[in-house]
Amino acid sequence: MHDDLRWFIAIAEAENLTTAADRVHSSQPTLSRFLGRLERDLGVPLFDRDGRRLVLNRFGRAYLDRARRAASQLEAGRREIEEMRAPARGAVRLAFLHSFGLGLVPDLISRFRVENPSARFTLTQDAAATVVGHVVDGDADLAIVAPRPMRTDMAWARVAEQELALVVPREHRFSGRETIGLAEAADEEFIVMQHGYGMRRIFDEICAAHDLTPAIAFESSELATVSGLVAAGLGVGVVPVEESARHPGVELIPLAGETREIRLTWFRGRPLSDVASRFRDFVLAGSSADG
């Protein structure tokens, strides 16, 4: 298919079979047979013949436009596969949750590049399940997630721990509390993350541990939206105590004894590039390797 496209484009641009054959390092009879076969398959002539000159007609011009697009897409696919087979030695392909993009990930990258100034990063942000999937599929070298992945083929290590809080509207009945237990809010309507997101799994696990069956008012794919809906008086939520969860219309009340552990994860048995391995070791040096 790729040769057919190259040959047709060469004939269209050269307007001569012999010249086109020289360009694609083939023979004039081969291109002549190819062109005859192509026109029979399409059921129309693509060129007007003027002696040895071949001039595109309206059918040929339409086909040339599509052929050039197709050839461009095939070349882009070839380059993408080459990059997938041999990722750049100087790049770390890092996937992480949206909520880590404000402080944690920029801080890690900044400190790593003090000693590795030439290191490059390809960053992907998504839900926890999708982020882990990027690593499993080989589209990312490492991922930063919370909670830890529930897979035996993934290695992981603790990066940090974040306190969790009940987020409530200003002037809520719980406003001013220094801490609170989730059971105290059992009769509230909750605004939660959608299934597949790390904070939804954490929320569900906390509720199960306290034998709670909360009423779910809304589900979101962004922590900032959770806080926005809470500020509008539509319910309460559980969020990590971090800047991305703050909103001027809400108050964060620490949940007694509830935290989320942030993990760095990678696929067991798959070798990492040199720079990805160094980044992993850098992160692990500041944490406890327990996976």
Side-chain angles (χ1 to χ4, degrees):
M1 176 62 74
H2 191 236
D3 280 343
D4 287 358
L5 292 173
R6 280 197 313 118
W7 290 353
F8 174 73
I9 293 170
I11 294 169
E13 292 177 346
E15 297 186 338
N16 180 275
L17 288 173
T18 301
T19 303
D22 289 341
R23 287 186 181 181
V24 298
H25 307 293
S26 185
S27 66
Q28 186 271 338
T30 297
L31 291 197
S32 181
R33 289 192 296 270
F34 154 72
L35 182 56
R37 183 175 67 252
L38 177 62
E39 290 181 323
R40 285 194 300 274
D41 289 345
L42 294 174
V44 294
L46 299 174
F47 296 88
D48 294 329
R49 272 70 173 175
D50 182 10
R52 293 186 177 181
R53 186 182 177 208
L54 300 174
V55 181
L56 285 170
N57 59 25
R58 64 190 182 94
F59 301 117
R61 288 192 295 272
Y63 195 75
L64 176 62
D65 180 56
R66 302 306 191 278
R68 282 173 169 161
R69 294 184 195 179
S72 175
Q73 288 297 312
L74 287 173
E75 177 60 22
R78 184 190 64 79
R79 290 196 302 268
E80 183 175 346
I81 289 172
E82 287 180 352
E83 293 172 359
M84 291 168 65
R85 289 178 59 193
R89 290 178 60 82
V92 180
R93 299 175 302 163
L94 179 65
F96 55 94
L97 308 188
H98 289 282
S99 59
F100 299 152
L102 186 65
L104 177 64
V105 169
D107 177 65
L108 288 173
I109 292 175
S110 177
R111 289 192 288 113
F112 178 71
R113 291 188 67 180
V114 171
E115 299 297 330
N116 302 270
S118 63
R120 295 183 294 107
F121 285 78
T122 300
L123 306 178
T124 303
Q125 296 170 264
D126 219 313
T130 306
V131 162
V132 171
H134 287 319
V135 177
V136 173
D137 295 340
D139 296 327
D141 303 309
L142 303 163
I144 299 178
V145 296
R148 71 177 180 86
M150 301 294 288
R151 297 180 59 111
T152 58
D153 53 3
M154 302 291 290
W156 47 264
R158 181 180 178 277
V159 175
E161 189 171 15
Q162 286 183 328
E163 188 177 19
L164 297 179
L166 185 73
V167 57
V168 301
R170 295 285 185 188
E171 309 305 326
H172 189 272
R173 63 191 176 105
F174 294 143
S175 294
R177 293 278 298 270
E178 292 187 1
T179 62
I180 193 170
L182 189 62
E184 296 181 67
D187 59 345
E188 296 279 344
E189 288 193 324
F190 280 83
I191 300 165
V192 298
M193 297 292 286
Q194 297 170 354
H195 288 287
Y197 285 81
M199 274 306 304
R200 177 56 181 270
R201 183 178 137 200
I202 291 171
F203 175 77
D204 289 345
E205 289 176 351
I206 294 173
C207 289
H210 292 281
D211 197 25
L212 300 177
T213 305
I216 305 299
F218 295 94
E219 295 179 323
S220 176
S221 60
E222 293 283 349
L223 282 172
T225 301
V226 170
S227 290
L229 292 171
V230 170
L234 299 173
V236 302
V238 174
V239 297
V241 179
E242 57 185 12
E243 290 304 316
S244 63
R246 297 195 184 280
H247 186 287
V250 303
E251 182 175 331
L252 271 61
I253 306 169
L255 281 170
E258 306 293 355
T259 61
R260 74 168 176 174
E261 287 195 337
I262 301 170
R263 311 287 180 129
L264 179 73
T265 187
W266 60 96
F267 199 75
R268 293 186 189 274
R270 180 184 296 150
L272 295 172
S273 67
D274 177 64
V275 68
S277 180
R278 281 189 280 120
F279 182 71
R280 179 191 62 185
D281 293 345
F282 163 78
V283 175
L284 299 191
S287 63
S288 57
D290 53 2

